[in-house]
Amino acid sequence: MKVGSRLSAVVLAALLLLSSCRTAGPQTAAIFAMDTVMDFTVYGGAQTLADAEARVRELETLFSVTSEESELSALNRSGGGTVSAETAALIPAALALCERTGGALDITVYPVVRAWGFTAGDRRVPSGEELAALSAAVDYRGVSVKGNAVTLAQGAEIDLGSVAKGYTADRLTEQLRAAGVESALLNLGGNVQAIGKKPNGHDWRVAIRDPQSKKNIAVLAVSNRAVVTSGGYERFFERDGVTYHHIIDPATGCPAKSGLLSVTVVAESGLLADALSTALYVMGLDRAAEHWRAYRDFEAVFVDENGTIFLTEGLQSCFSPISRDAAVEVIRL
Ligand code: AMP
Ligand code: MG
């Protein structure tokens, strides 16, 4: 064999190998857990999806506030007790974020959320007196954690719905990476976790929805990031022509009216992104922008009631609006 043809044989073999790698499709799964549909796309690693699903189910058994059998429900009933290492890790991490957001995030909001019927039971509009009475017990500072022992103040009950999916996404990311996965996209019902890049070396593309039309309005190109959206449009009901949504302002006990319709947070940590998407929604644009300037450990996209899109300046290079006519403003330092 001549040198030239030997070389082309080697090149051909390399190309074949490469294309066989490329055509090795992803493992995909769609499961219903934590009250939402989750979609996983994972490249490489054996058995990883079955393990991921098992992990989600395990965490759901701990954190679900709607299941009476969960560890969290038992804690809420008893007002205190010893919890698993997992719950004893999440609660203090969430409390630190309640503190950081000045109580815009408050995991003791559960009695109020339940009164509105957002988690279980019938959706209803509680009276002002009922909300005032329930809100009196809403205060994350009444939760104390010492090792695995958690104690709740009188009347307080914890809802981890604002942070559990983000925490779960972080645990899944760790688990998949430990199993050798370098490329995956996990969507836990609006909590997206991009692991590495796509197998072709490009960033993952995560769409942001228009809170009003529910069509996609923009795309974020990301790798190794959590992209988490909170929006009033995700869970709501109407009574007498008024819309009530599930993100509660702990200061009033009512659905937050901050002028925002959705907040998307991009951060390395799924837990941080999840906690902040909820909290910044409550804070509104101005306070949220101040929070970003003070911490700089996340970026965010906000959609307000006029349909204007605001993005923090760190996202400029990875943000593409779908319509050329979209009103987009950049939040700068
Ligand atoms: P998310 O979808 O992550 O924005 O979380 C919203 C869920 O968290 C709601 O369905 C409630 O169960 C709970 N929640 C609502 N408002 C708050 C709040 N201000 N702080 C903490 N949790 C909240
Ligand atoms: Mg959240």
Side-chain angles (χ1 to χ4, degrees):
M1 204 189 261
K2 287 185 187 151
V3 176
S5 55
R6 201 181 297 149
L7 198 68
S8 46
V10 170
V11 169
L12 188 69
L15 279 176
L16 280 174
L17 192 70
L18 210 69
S19 66
S20 71
C21 293
R22 285 236 179 90
T23 51
Q27 302 180 67
T28 60
I31 63 169
F32 188 82
M34 300 188 172
D35 213 14
T36 193
V37 177
M38 302 189 174
D39 285 299
F40 302 148
T41 302
V42 174
Y43 290 86
Q47 264 306 108
T48 48
L49 270 186
D51 292 346
E53 180 174 351
R55 188 83 166 109
V56 170
R57 302 269 176 228
E58 179 194 0
L59 294 177
E60 182 178 33
T61 324
L62 300 176
F63 304 147
S64 167
V65 82
T66 45
S67 152
E68 294 202 352
E69 273 87 64
S70 74
E71 186 175 58
L72 186 64
S73 294
L75 179 70
N76 282 338
R77 277 193 301 271
S78 61
T82 305
V83 297
S84 63
E86 210 83 63
T87 304
L90 176 53
I91 290 179
L95 289 172
L97 292 161
C98 295
E99 180 74 21
R100 164 173 164 164
T101 59
L105 185 79
D106 193 320
I107 58 169
T108 62
V109 76
Y110 188 55
V112 174
V113 171
R114 184 176 43 208
W116 286 93
F118 279 116
T119 43
D122 290 337
R123 295 183 170 187
R124 55 189 277 274
V125 183
S127 70
E129 295 85 71
E130 185 181 353
L131 286 177
L134 293 173
S135 299
V138 174
D139 188 348
Y140 66 92
R141 289 166 297 191
V143 181
S144 95
V145 187
K146 291 198 178 73
N148 286 32
V150 180
T151 316
L152 307 181
Q154 181 72 32
E157 288 180 73
I158 292 180
D159 177 351
L160 294 172
S162 59
V163 289
K165 285 186 275 165
Y167 178 87
T168 302
D170 286 338
R171 299 291 77 76
L172 292 182
T173 302
E174 271 172 11
Q175 179 172 318
L176 290 170
R177 284 197 179 286
V181 172
E182 290 173 5
S183 173
L185 193 72
L186 313 177
N187 186 347
L188 289 71
N191 278 54
V192 177
Q193 199 86 16
I195 300 178
K197 290 177 182 277
K198 286 199 244 178
N200 65 8
H202 294 157
D203 282 332
W204 292 104
R205 292 167 63 77
V206 182
I208 297 178
R209 287 166 91 188
D210 176 350
Q212 272 156 335
S213 72
K214 309 242 180 111
K215 289 186 185 147
N216 293 338
I217 44 168
V219 173
L220 289 170
V222 293
S223 58
N224 291 316
R225 285 287 179 283
V227 181
V228 180
T229 299
S230 284
Y233 65 89
E234 291 172 319
R235 202 172 285 216
F236 63 89
F237 66 90
E238 279 180 23
R239 281 288 176 289
D240 303 326
V242 183
T243 304
Y244 301 94
H245 63 74
H246 70 132
I247 303 174
I248 303 293
D249 182 346
T252 63
C254 291
K257 276 195 203 136
S258 64
L260 294 174
L261 297 185
S262 80
V263 178
T264 301
V265 175
V266 182
E268 260 180 66
S269 150
L271 173 66
L272 180 68
D274 198 359
L276 287 184
S277 64
T278 310
L280 301 185
Y281 187 100
V282 173
M283 287 184 192
L285 188 63
D286 292 347
R287 274 178 72 200
E290 278 316 306
H291 196 80
W292 170 72
R293 291 187 185 99
Y295 286 89
R296 299 301 312 280
D297 56 356
F298 68 95
E299 301 291 336
V301 181
F302 306 90
V303 181
D304 78 359
E305 285 168 345
N306 303 320
T308 306
I309 306 172
F310 298 83
L311 60 135
T312 53
E313 63 180 332
L315 288 180
Q316 273 174 284
S317 59
C318 60
F319 175 90
S320 324
I322 285 171
S323 155
R324 283 213 200 115
D325 306 329
V328 181
E329 291 188 28
V330 178
I331 300 172
R332 301 185 189 279
L333 270 182

